[in-house]
Amino acid sequence: SVGSSSTSSFSTSIIDRNNGDSNLPVSSSNSSSFFYDIPRTLRLALFGLADGAVSHVWFLTVDSVVGEGQGLVDTLIKTAADALVYTPLWCAWFLVFMTCIEEKKDDSTIANRIQSIPSVWKSDWLELFRGNLGFFLPLTGLIYGF
């Protein structure tokens, strides 16, 4: 959980929150506790590759349904669609992806990880969704508007 993270930076909290590695410090005011976690970086890079492809398809789909216009009405419709359709699904998908590929210290199997997905959604989805809306919604409006 986020509360057990050794750092309070916003970006680290989001990363820790999203991939379950909250016990691994990414940055700290004490430089002697800093280390680079290669497996975690690879997990996030792998998700980023998949996310880029899915996001591209989403943007193409929204443009084909709403139109490629960038006026106020089109921007509001696209931003609302993003907030009400894409973002909730993205949050669920992100949690599934990270749950399935996260590094486990115990002997959990992929089947156990898959079985844990409903509890991960229950405990983490709403906070992730709120964080995404709070941070990315204004940026999304800018993307659709320009």
Side-chain angles (χ1 to χ4, degrees):
S1 75
V2 176
S4 63
S5 179
S6 66
T7 177
S8 61
S9 75
F10 176 74
S11 61
T12 302
S13 295
I14 289 174
I15 291 169
D16 287 351
R17 174 91 182 108
N18 293 338
N19 73 13
D21 288 343
S22 61
N23 59 333
L24 299 174
V26 175
S27 63
S28 174
S29 59
N30 179 356
S31 62
S32 66
S33 68
F34 177 82
F35 66 93
Y36 188 75
D37 186 352
I38 293 173
R40 179 171 142 169
T41 301
L42 293 174
R43 287 191 301 276
L44 291 170
L46 183 60
F47 178 79
L49 288 172
D51 181 43
V54 171
S55 294
H56 179 72
V57 171
W58 168 254
F59 286 116
L60 290 176
T61 302
V62 169
D63 281 346
S64 71
V65 172
V66 178
E68 294 186 21
Q70 296 172 321
L72 180 61
V73 173
D74 286 346
T75 298
L76 291 174
I77 291 170
K78 291 175 183 182
T79 303
D82 202 280
L84 299 172
V85 177
Y86 184 72
T87 300
L89 293 173
W90 183 93
C91 291
W93 170 53
F94 181 87
L95 292 170
V96 167
F97 193 96
M98 289 301 168
T99 298
C100 289
I101 69 166
E102 71 183 338
E103 182 179 24
K104 288 290 191 177
K105 304 297 185 224
D106 57 16
D107 292 328
S108 70
T109 64
I110 188 67
N112 291 343
R113 293 179 196 178
I114 291 170
Q115 287 177 342
S116 75
I117 290 169
S119 65
V120 170
W121 281 343
K122 186 177 181 180
S123 66
D124 295 349
W125 182 88
L126 185 58
E127 185 178 345
L128 179 61
F129 177 69
R130 286 178 179 163
N132 270 277
L133 286 182
F135 184 77
F136 289 108
L137 189 61
L139 296 175
T140 301
L142 288 173
I143 289 169
Y144 286 125
F146 292 100

Short mmCIF file of all heavy atoms in Angstrom, two decimals, residues 19-76:
data_model
loop_
_atom_site.label_atom_id
_atom_site.label_comp_id
_atom_site.label_asym_id
_atom_site.label_seq_id
_atom_site.Cartn_x
_atom_site.Cartn_y
_atom_site.Cartn_z
N ASN A 19 1.79 -0.55 -8.93
CA ASN A 19 2.40 -1.83 -9.23
C ASN A 19 2.67 -2.69 -8.00
O ASN A 19 3.25 -3.74 -8.11
CB ASN A 19 3.66 -1.67 -10.08
CG ASN A 19 4.83 -1.12 -9.30
OD1 ASN A 19 4.80 -1.07 -8.07
ND2 ASN A 19 5.84 -0.70 -10.00
N GLY A 20 2.24 -2.24 -6.86
CA GLY A 20 2.33 -3.08 -5.68
C GLY A 20 3.71 -3.17 -5.07
O GLY A 20 3.94 -3.98 -4.18
N ASP A 21 4.65 -2.38 -5.53
CA ASP A 21 6.01 -2.45 -5.01
C ASP A 21 6.26 -1.38 -3.96
O ASP A 21 7.32 -0.79 -3.90
CB ASP A 21 7.03 -2.26 -6.15
CG ASP A 21 7.10 -3.46 -7.06
OD1 ASP A 21 6.63 -4.54 -6.66
OD2 ASP A 21 7.63 -3.31 -8.16
N SER A 22 5.30 -1.14 -3.10
CA SER A 22 5.42 -0.01 -2.17
C SER A 22 6.54 -0.20 -1.17
O SER A 22 6.97 0.75 -0.55
CB SER A 22 4.10 0.20 -1.44
OG SER A 22 3.76 -0.95 -0.71
N ASN A 23 7.04 -1.40 -1.01
CA ASN A 23 8.13 -1.61 -0.08
C ASN A 23 9.49 -1.33 -0.71
O ASN A 23 10.51 -1.45 -0.06
CB ASN A 23 8.10 -3.04 0.46
CG ASN A 23 8.22 -4.06 -0.65
OD1 ASN A 23 7.84 -3.80 -1.78
ND2 ASN A 23 8.71 -5.24 -0.34
N LEU A 24 9.50 -0.92 -1.97
CA LEU A 24 10.75 -0.66 -2.65
C LEU A 24 10.91 0.84 -2.88
O LEU A 24 10.21 1.43 -3.68
CB LEU A 24 10.77 -1.37 -4.01
CG LEU A 24 10.65 -2.88 -3.96
CD1 LEU A 24 10.53 -3.44 -5.37
CD2 LEU A 24 11.82 -3.50 -3.24
N PRO A 25 11.82 1.50 -2.17
CA PRO A 25 11.98 2.94 -2.36
C PRO A 25 12.55 3.24 -3.73
O PRO A 25 13.42 2.54 -4.22
CB PRO A 25 12.95 3.35 -1.27
CG PRO A 25 13.64 2.11 -0.86
CD PRO A 25 12.72 0.97 -1.16
N VAL A 26 12.03 4.27 -4.35
CA VAL A 26 12.54 4.72 -5.63
C VAL A 26 13.42 5.94 -5.44
O VAL A 26 14.43 6.09 -6.08
CB VAL A 26 11.37 5.06 -6.59
CG1 VAL A 26 11.90 5.63 -7.89
CG2 VAL A 26 10.55 3.81 -6.85
N SER A 27 13.01 6.79 -4.54
CA SER A 27 13.82 7.96 -4.23
C SER A 27 13.64 8.26 -2.76
O SER A 27 12.70 7.82 -2.13
CB SER A 27 13.39 9.15 -5.08
OG SER A 27 12.07 9.49 -4.78
N SER A 28 14.55 9.00 -2.24
CA SER A 28 14.50 9.31 -0.83
C SER A 28 15.38 10.52 -0.57
O SER A 28 16.31 10.77 -1.32
CB SER A 28 15.00 8.10 -0.02
OG SER A 28 15.07 8.43 1.35
N SER A 29 15.08 11.21 0.51
CA SER A 29 15.96 12.32 0.86
C SER A 29 17.32 11.81 1.33
O SER A 29 18.30 12.50 1.28
CB SER A 29 15.30 13.17 1.95
OG SER A 29 15.05 12.38 3.09
N ASN A 30 17.37 10.57 1.73
CA ASN A 30 18.63 9.94 2.13
C ASN A 30 19.16 9.16 0.93
O ASN A 30 18.67 8.10 0.61
CB ASN A 30 18.38 9.01 3.33
CG ASN A 30 19.66 8.32 3.77
OD1 ASN A 30 20.71 8.48 3.15
ND2 ASN A 30 19.56 7.54 4.83
N SER A 31 20.14 9.70 0.25
CA SER A 31 20.62 9.09 -0.99
C SER A 31 21.22 7.70 -0.77
O SER A 31 21.32 6.93 -1.71
CB SER A 31 21.64 10.01 -1.66
OG SER A 31 22.76 10.19 -0.82
N SER A 32 21.60 7.35 0.43
CA SER A 32 22.17 6.02 0.65
C SER A 32 21.12 4.92 0.53
O SER A 32 21.47 3.76 0.34
CB SER A 32 22.84 5.95 2.03
OG SER A 32 21.87 6.07 3.05
N SER A 33 19.82 5.25 0.60
CA SER A 33 18.79 4.23 0.48
C SER A 33 18.25 4.14 -0.95
O SER A 33 17.35 3.37 -1.23
CB SER A 33 17.65 4.50 1.45
OG SER A 33 16.96 5.66 1.08
N PHE A 34 18.77 4.93 -1.88
CA PHE A 34 18.31 4.92 -3.26
C PHE A 34 18.90 3.72 -3.99
O PHE A 34 20.07 3.41 -3.87
CB PHE A 34 18.72 6.21 -3.97
CG PHE A 34 18.33 6.23 -5.41
CD1 PHE A 34 17.05 6.56 -5.78
CD2 PHE A 34 19.23 5.89 -6.39
CE1 PHE A 34 16.67 6.56 -7.11
CE2 PHE A 34 18.88 5.89 -7.72
CZ PHE A 34 17.59 6.23 -8.08
N PHE A 35 18.06 3.04 -4.75
CA PHE A 35 18.55 2.01 -5.65
C PHE A 35 17.64 1.95 -6.86
O PHE A 35 16.52 2.44 -6.83
CB PHE A 35 18.65 0.65 -4.96
CG PHE A 35 17.32 0.09 -4.54
CD1 PHE A 35 16.63 -0.77 -5.37
CD2 PHE A 35 16.77 0.41 -3.31
CE1 PHE A 35 15.40 -1.29 -4.98
CE2 PHE A 35 15.56 -0.10 -2.91
CZ PHE A 35 14.86 -0.96 -3.75
N TYR A 36 18.14 1.39 -7.92
CA TYR A 36 17.40 1.29 -9.17
C TYR A 36 16.87 -0.12 -9.30
O TYR A 36 17.64 -1.08 -9.27
CB TYR A 36 18.31 1.66 -10.33
CG TYR A 36 17.58 1.76 -11.63
CD1 TYR A 36 16.77 2.85 -11.89
CD2 TYR A 36 17.67 0.77 -12.59
CE1 TYR A 36 16.07 2.96 -13.07
CE2 TYR A 36 16.99 0.86 -13.77
CZ TYR A 36 16.19 1.96 -14.01
OH TYR A 36 15.50 2.05 -15.18
N ASP A 37 15.57 -0.25 -9.44
CA ASP A 37 14.91 -1.55 -9.50
C ASP A 37 14.64 -1.92 -10.96
O ASP A 37 13.65 -1.49 -11.55
CB ASP A 37 13.61 -1.49 -8.68
CG ASP A 37 12.93 -2.83 -8.57
OD1 ASP A 37 13.36 -3.79 -9.23
OD2 ASP A 37 11.95 -2.90 -7.81
N ILE A 38 15.52 -2.70 -11.56
CA ILE A 38 15.41 -3.06 -12.96
C ILE A 38 14.14 -3.87 -13.26
O ILE A 38 13.44 -3.56 -14.23
CB ILE A 38 16.68 -3.78 -13.45
CG1 ILE A 38 17.85 -2.79 -13.42
CG2 ILE A 38 16.50 -4.37 -14.84
CD1 ILE A 38 19.20 -3.40 -13.70
N PRO A 39 13.80 -4.89 -12.48
CA PRO A 39 12.56 -5.64 -12.78
C PRO A 39 11.31 -4.75 -12.77
O PRO A 39 10.44 -4.88 -13.62
CB PRO A 39 12.49 -6.71 -11.69
CG PRO A 39 13.90 -6.90 -11.26
CD PRO A 39 14.54 -5.54 -11.39
N ARG A 40 11.26 -3.84 -11.84
CA ARG A 40 10.12 -2.92 -11.78
C ARG A 40 10.08 -2.02 -13.00
O ARG A 40 9.03 -1.78 -13.60
CB ARG A 40 10.22 -2.09 -10.51
CG ARG A 40 9.11 -1.09 -10.34
CD ARG A 40 9.22 -0.53 -8.97
NE ARG A 40 8.90 0.87 -8.96
CZ ARG A 40 8.71 1.56 -7.87
NH1 ARG A 40 8.86 0.99 -6.70
NH2 ARG A 40 8.40 2.81 -7.93
N THR A 41 11.23 -1.52 -13.41
CA THR A 41 11.31 -0.68 -14.60
C THR A 41 10.84 -1.46 -15.83
O THR A 41 10.11 -0.94 -16.67
CB THR A 41 12.75 -0.18 -14.80
OG1 THR A 41 13.13 0.57 -13.66
CG2 THR A 41 12.88 0.67 -16.05
N LEU A 42 11.24 -2.71 -15.92
CA LEU A 42 10.83 -3.55 -17.06
C LEU A 42 9.32 -3.80 -17.05
O LEU A 42 8.67 -3.78 -18.11
CB LEU A 42 11.59 -4.87 -17.05
CG LEU A 42 13.09 -4.76 -17.33
CD1 LEU A 42 13.78 -6.11 -17.16
CD2 LEU A 42 13.34 -4.18 -18.72
N ARG A 43 8.74 -4.02 -15.86
CA ARG A 43 7.28 -4.21 -15.77
C ARG A 43 6.55 -2.96 -16.25
O ARG A 43 5.58 -3.04 -17.00
CB ARG A 43 6.87 -4.55 -14.34
CG ARG A 43 7.23 -5.95 -13.90
CD ARG A 43 6.57 -6.33 -12.59
NE ARG A 43 6.90 -5.46 -11.47
CZ ARG A 43 7.98 -5.56 -10.70
NH1 ARG A 43 8.87 -6.50 -10.95
NH2 ARG A 43 8.18 -4.73 -9.70
N LEU A 44 6.99 -1.80 -15.79
CA LEU A 44 6.35 -0.56 -16.19
C LEU A 44 6.56 -0.26 -17.68
O LEU A 44 5.67 0.24 -18.35
CB LEU A 44 6.84 0.60 -15.33
CG LEU A 44 6.36 0.54 -13.87
CD1 LEU A 44 7.09 1.57 -13.02
CD2 LEU A 44 4.86 0.73 -13.78
N ALA A 45 7.74 -0.59 -18.21
CA ALA A 45 8.00 -0.40 -19.63
C ALA A 45 7.10 -1.32 -20.47
O ALA A 45 6.56 -0.90 -21.50
CB ALA A 45 9.46 -0.65 -19.94
N LEU A 46 6.94 -2.55 -20.03
CA LEU A 46 6.08 -3.49 -20.73
C LEU A 46 4.64 -2.99 -20.75
O LEU A 46 3.97 -3.00 -21.79
CB LEU A 46 6.16 -4.87 -20.07
CG LEU A 46 5.36 -5.99 -20.73
CD1 LEU A 46 5.83 -6.21 -22.17
CD2 LEU A 46 5.52 -7.28 -19.91
N PHE A 47 4.19 -2.50 -19.61
CA PHE A 47 2.84 -1.94 -19.58
C PHE A 47 2.76 -0.71 -20.48
O PHE A 47 1.77 -0.52 -21.20
CB PHE A 47 2.41 -1.55 -18.16
CG PHE A 47 1.04 -0.94 -18.15
CD1 PHE A 47 -0.08 -1.74 -18.23
CD2 PHE A 47 0.88 0.43 -18.13
CE1 PHE A 47 -1.35 -1.19 -18.28
CE2 PHE A 47 -0.38 1.00 -18.17
CZ PHE A 47 -1.50 0.19 -18.25
N GLY A 48 3.77 0.12 -20.46
CA GLY A 48 3.78 1.31 -21.30
C GLY A 48 3.67 1.00 -22.78
O GLY A 48 2.97 1.70 -23.52
N LEU A 49 4.32 -0.07 -23.22
CA LEU A 49 4.20 -0.47 -24.62
C LEU A 49 2.77 -0.88 -24.95
O LEU A 49 2.21 -0.46 -25.97
CB LEU A 49 5.16 -1.63 -24.91
CG LEU A 49 6.63 -1.30 -24.96
CD1 LEU A 49 7.48 -2.56 -25.06
CD2 LEU A 49 6.93 -0.36 -26.12
N ALA A 50 2.19 -1.69 -24.10
CA ALA A 50 0.80 -2.12 -24.32
C ALA A 50 -0.15 -0.93 -24.23
O ALA A 50 -1.07 -0.79 -25.04
CB ALA A 50 0.42 -3.20 -23.31
N ASP A 51 0.07 -0.07 -23.26
CA ASP A 51 -0.78 1.09 -23.05
C ASP A 51 -0.73 2.03 -24.26
O ASP A 51 -1.76 2.58 -24.68
CB ASP A 51 -0.37 1.82 -21.78
CG ASP A 51 -1.23 3.03 -21.50
OD1 ASP A 51 -2.46 2.95 -21.65
OD2 ASP A 51 -0.67 4.08 -21.12
N GLY A 52 0.43 2.22 -24.81
CA GLY A 52 0.55 3.09 -25.98
C GLY A 52 -0.28 2.58 -27.15
O GLY A 52 -0.97 3.35 -27.82
N ALA A 53 -0.25 1.27 -27.38
CA ALA A 53 -1.03 0.68 -28.47
C ALA A 53 -2.53 0.81 -28.21
O ALA A 53 -3.29 1.21 -29.10
CB ALA A 53 -0.65 -0.79 -28.65
N VAL A 54 -2.96 0.51 -27.00
CA VAL A 54 -4.37 0.59 -26.66
C VAL A 54 -4.86 2.04 -26.71
O VAL A 54 -5.94 2.33 -27.23
CB VAL A 54 -4.64 -0.04 -25.27
CG1 VAL A 54 -6.05 0.22 -24.79
CG2 VAL A 54 -4.37 -1.54 -25.32
N SER A 55 -4.08 2.96 -26.18
CA SER A 55 -4.45 4.37 -26.20
C SER A 55 -4.57 4.88 -27.63
O SER A 55 -5.49 5.66 -27.95
CB SER A 55 -3.44 5.21 -25.43
OG SER A 55 -3.46 4.88 -24.06
N HIS A 56 -3.67 4.46 -28.50
CA HIS A 56 -3.72 4.87 -29.90
C HIS A 56 -5.05 4.44 -30.53
O HIS A 56 -5.72 5.23 -31.20
CB HIS A 56 -2.54 4.27 -30.66
CG HIS A 56 -2.51 4.61 -32.10
ND1 HIS A 56 -2.21 5.87 -32.57
CD2 HIS A 56 -2.77 3.86 -33.19
CE1 HIS A 56 -2.27 5.88 -33.89
NE2 HIS A 56 -2.61 4.67 -34.29
N VAL A 57 -5.43 3.18 -30.29
CA VAL A 57 -6.70 2.68 -30.82
C VAL A 57 -7.87 3.46 -30.24
O VAL A 57 -8.82 3.80 -30.94
CB VAL A 57 -6.84 1.16 -30.56
CG1 VAL A 57 -8.24 0.67 -30.90
CG2 VAL A 57 -5.79 0.39 -31.34
N TRP A 58 -7.79 3.78 -28.95
CA TRP A 58 -8.86 4.57 -28.31
C TRP A 58 -9.01 5.93 -28.99
O TRP A 58 -10.11 6.34 -29.34
CB TRP A 58 -8.59 4.74 -26.81
CG TRP A 58 -9.49 5.77 -26.18
CD1 TRP A 58 -9.15 7.03 -25.80
CD2 TRP A 58 -10.88 5.63 -25.90
NE1 TRP A 58 -10.24 7.69 -25.28
CE2 TRP A 58 -11.33 6.85 -25.33
CE3 TRP A 58 -11.81 4.61 -26.06
CZ2 TRP A 58 -12.63 7.07 -24.94
CZ3 TRP A 58 -13.12 4.82 -25.67
CH2 TRP A 58 -13.52 6.05 -25.11
N PHE A 59 -7.90 6.64 -29.16
CA PHE A 59 -7.97 7.97 -29.78
C PHE A 59 -8.51 7.90 -31.20
O PHE A 59 -9.31 8.74 -31.62
CB PHE A 59 -6.60 8.67 -29.76
CG PHE A 59 -6.20 9.17 -28.41
CD1 PHE A 59 -5.09 8.66 -27.76
CD2 PHE A 59 -6.94 10.16 -27.77
CE1 PHE A 59 -4.72 9.13 -26.50
CE2 PHE A 59 -6.59 10.64 -26.52
CZ PHE A 59 -5.47 10.12 -25.88
N LEU A 60 -8.10 6.89 -31.96
CA LEU A 60 -8.62 6.73 -33.32
C LEU A 60 -10.12 6.45 -33.30
O LEU A 60 -10.88 6.99 -34.11
CB LEU A 60 -7.89 5.59 -34.04
CG LEU A 60 -6.44 5.84 -34.42
CD1 LEU A 60 -5.82 4.59 -35.04
CD2 LEU A 60 -6.31 7.03 -35.37
N THR A 61 -10.55 5.62 -32.35
CA THR A 61 -11.97 5.28 -32.23
C THR A 61 -12.80 6.50 -31.86
O THR A 61 -13.85 6.75 -32.45
CB THR A 61 -12.17 4.15 -31.19
OG1 THR A 61 -11.40 3.02 -31.61
CG2 THR A 61 -13.63 3.77 -31.06
N VAL A 62 -12.34 7.25 -30.87
CA VAL A 62 -13.07 8.45 -30.47
C VAL A 62 -13.17 9.43 -31.63
O VAL A 62 -14.24 9.99 -31.89
CB VAL A 62 -12.41 9.11 -29.24
CG1 VAL A 62 -12.98 10.49 -28.97
CG2 VAL A 62 -12.59 8.23 -28.02
N ASP A 63 -12.08 9.62 -32.36
CA ASP A 63 -12.12 10.53 -33.52
C ASP A 63 -13.08 10.02 -34.60
O ASP A 63 -13.76 10.82 -35.25
CB ASP A 63 -10.73 10.72 -34.11
CG ASP A 63 -9.88 11.70 -33.32
OD1 ASP A 63 -10.43 12.44 -32.47
OD2 ASP A 63 -8.65 11.73 -33.55
N SER A 64 -13.14 8.70 -34.78
CA SER A 64 -14.04 8.17 -35.81
C SER A 64 -15.51 8.27 -35.40
O SER A 64 -16.38 8.42 -36.24
CB SER A 64 -13.68 6.72 -36.16
OG SER A 64 -14.01 5.86 -35.10
N VAL A 65 -15.79 8.22 -34.10
CA VAL A 65 -17.17 8.31 -33.61
C VAL A 65 -17.61 9.76 -33.48
O VAL A 65 -18.69 10.14 -33.94
CB VAL A 65 -17.33 7.56 -32.26
CG1 VAL A 65 -18.68 7.81 -31.64
CG2 VAL A 65 -17.09 6.06 -32.44
N VAL A 66 -16.80 10.58 -32.84
CA VAL A 66 -17.17 11.97 -32.56
C VAL A 66 -16.79 12.88 -33.71
O VAL A 66 -17.46 13.87 -33.97
CB VAL A 66 -16.52 12.44 -31.24
CG1 VAL A 66 -16.84 13.90 -30.96
CG2 VAL A 66 -16.94 11.56 -30.09
N GLY A 67 -15.72 12.55 -34.38
CA GLY A 67 -15.18 13.41 -35.43
C GLY A 67 -13.84 13.94 -34.99
O GLY A 67 -13.48 13.89 -33.82
N GLU A 68 -13.10 14.44 -35.95
CA GLU A 68 -11.76 14.92 -35.65
C GLU A 68 -11.74 16.39 -35.26
O GLU A 68 -10.66 16.97 -35.12
CB GLU A 68 -10.84 14.66 -36.83
CG GLU A 68 -10.62 13.18 -37.07
CD GLU A 68 -9.58 12.88 -38.14
OE1 GLU A 68 -8.75 13.76 -38.44
OE2 GLU A 68 -9.62 11.77 -38.68
N GLY A 69 -12.90 16.97 -35.05
CA GLY A 69 -12.97 18.37 -34.68
C GLY A 69 -12.35 18.64 -33.32
O GLY A 69 -12.26 17.76 -32.47
N GLN A 70 -11.89 19.86 -33.15
CA GLN A 70 -11.25 20.26 -31.90
C GLN A 70 -11.97 21.44 -31.25
O GLN A 70 -11.41 22.10 -30.39
CB GLN A 70 -9.78 20.59 -32.14
CG GLN A 70 -9.00 19.39 -32.61
CD GLN A 70 -7.60 19.76 -33.04
OE1 GLN A 70 -7.36 20.79 -33.65
NE2 GLN A 70 -6.65 18.88 -32.74
N GLY A 71 -13.22 21.65 -31.66
CA GLY A 71 -14.00 22.73 -31.07
C GLY A 71 -14.41 22.37 -29.64
O GLY A 71 -14.17 21.27 -29.15
N LEU A 72 -15.04 23.31 -29.00
CA LEU A 72 -15.40 23.14 -27.59
C LEU A 72 -16.32 21.94 -27.38
O LEU A 72 -16.09 21.13 -26.48
CB LEU A 72 -16.06 24.42 -27.05
CG LEU A 72 -16.51 24.37 -25.59
CD1 LEU A 72 -15.31 24.14 -24.68
CD2 LEU A 72 -17.25 25.64 -25.21
N VAL A 73 -17.35 21.79 -28.20
CA VAL A 73 -18.30 20.68 -28.03
C VAL A 73 -17.61 19.34 -28.24
O VAL A 73 -17.78 18.41 -27.44
CB VAL A 73 -19.52 20.85 -28.95
CG1 VAL A 73 -20.42 19.62 -28.91
CG2 VAL A 73 -20.31 22.10 -28.58
N ASP A 74 -16.84 19.21 -29.34
CA ASP A 74 -16.12 17.96 -29.60
C ASP A 74 -15.15 17.64 -28.47
O ASP A 74 -15.03 16.49 -28.03
CB ASP A 74 -15.35 18.03 -30.92
CG ASP A 74 -16.25 17.95 -32.14
OD1 ASP A 74 -17.43 17.56 -31.98
OD2 ASP A 74 -15.78 18.27 -33.25
N THR A 75 -14.44 18.64 -27.99
CA THR A 75 -13.49 18.44 -26.90
C THR A 75 -14.19 17.97 -25.63
O THR A 75 -13.73 17.04 -24.96
CB THR A 75 -12.70 19.74 -26.63
OG1 THR A 75 -11.97 20.08 -27.81
CG2 THR A 75 -11.73 19.57 -25.47
N LEU A 76 -15.31 18.58 -25.31
CA LEU A 76 -16.07 18.17 -24.12
C LEU A 76 -16.60 16.75 -24.25
O LEU A 76 -16.54 15.97 -23.30
CB LEU A 76 -17.21 19.15 -23.84
CG LEU A 76 -16.79 20.54 -23.37
CD1 LEU A 76 -18.01 21.46 -23.27
CD2 LEU A 76 -16.05 20.47 -22.04
#
